[in-house]
Amino acid sequence: MRALFFAVLAMLPLAAGAQGVSAADRGQADRGQVDQAVVDRALAYLNAARVINARFIQRDQHGGRWTGQMWVARPGQLRFQYDPPENDVIWSNGFIIKHFDAELETVTQVPRDMTPAWFLLDEHVRIKEDVQVLATAEQGGRYFVTATQTGVLNDGRVTLAFETSPARLLGWAATDGDGEVIQVDLVDLKVGGVIPDEVFKYQPPIPENGN
């Protein structure tokens, strides 16, 4: 289940042929050119999208595929609920991100600031001192921003994919320091509304100190 937890440590994405970040898209966004107008457009969208609810499809480069439901409410709250047979849950209602591994029956905890989850969880999404934009790209009604962050557990980068019209976040592709790629495609994305606090107060079926 390492791939599932890495999905949050590297902050998830999608696969070639899906509607978000294909291998060709990543190549477009890794060419080293940064258009500040594209960065500003991405930040404006993320800051406006304070509440997000979506289905997700997660894939890795080895053919692994997982599905589930995602909820985000900034600042600091998220939950990824994986569908059976995995049944893993990744959640945060503050400064700690937790992962319940249903197969191993363990709970792992990581400080939020040690994960590159800033673009989902920060009160105000901005390019901080520890975040570097590596490249931007625009193609076919989509735009992409590739960034890296220092001080996180998995060195690497994340490419965010957006649709221009209608404006929406398509997903993100994360590459760790070993070159492993995790992709997540967001489906049926809904922005705004209210998510009950109970969604982010998940209680695993084991004691949280049982890891």
Side-chain angles (χ1 to χ4, degrees):
M1 290 297 177
R2 177 186 178 277
L4 296 181
F5 196 36
F6 166 65
V8 153
L9 296 184
M11 285 328 289
L12 307 129
L14 45 170
Q19 57 183 318
V21 188
S22 68
D25 292 332
R26 291 198 303 273
Q28 285 270 339
D30 284 344
R31 293 181 180 174
Q33 297 181 348
V34 176
D35 184 334
Q36 188 59 45
V38 174
V39 175
D40 292 343
R41 193 190 321 166
L43 293 177
Y45 175 89
L46 293 170
N47 278 304
R50 298 187 62 81
V51 177
I52 298 174
N53 181 0
R55 293 285 299 169
F56 67 83
I57 302 170
Q58 176 184 320
R59 308 175 195 257
D60 65 22
Q61 64 200 69
H62 307 293
R65 183 181 186 276
W66 301 268
T67 61
Q69 187 76 26
M70 177 190 82
W71 299 268
V72 174
R74 299 206 327 269
Q77 295 180 304
L78 69 75
R79 178 168 173 174
F80 289 93
Q81 177 81 46
Y82 286 83
D83 293 333
E86 279 75 26
N87 295 315
D88 282 36
V89 179
I90 296 169
W91 79 103
S92 170
N93 61 3
F95 297 100
I96 301 293
I97 295 179
K98 302 177 183 181
H99 170 216
F100 167 62
D101 188 314
E103 181 180 31
L104 299 179
E105 296 188 340
T106 59
V107 175
T108 305
Q109 303 185 19
V110 178
R112 192 180 91 193
D113 59 6
M114 294 185 69
T115 76
W118 54 275
F119 67 94
L120 286 177
L121 296 178
D122 282 4
E123 170 70 28
H124 179 65
V125 183
R126 58 188 176 87
I127 304 303
K128 302 176 291 185
E129 292 182 357
D130 59 345
V131 175
Q132 178 185 4
V133 177
L134 302 176
T136 61
E138 294 184 87
Q139 184 180 28
R142 301 174 185 175
Y143 62 98
F144 309 89
V145 177
T146 298
T148 187
Q149 183 179 13
T150 60
V152 299
L153 292 180
N154 289 282
D155 294 332
R157 64 186 185 275
V158 60
T159 297
L160 307 179
F162 301 85
E163 188 171 57
T164 301
S165 182
R168 70 186 185 104
L169 176 64
L170 294 172
W172 52 93
T175 306
D176 72 5
D178 297 323
E180 293 289 317
V181 179
I182 293 288
Q183 302 190 52
V184 176
D185 186 0
L186 301 182
V187 181
D188 296 330
L189 178 72
K190 299 178 179 64
V191 175
V194 177
I195 298 175
D197 288 341
E198 289 72 19
V199 170
F200 306 108
K201 296 178 181 179
Y202 173 74
Q203 293 295 323
I206 61 171
E208 289 192 32
N209 61 359
N211 60 325

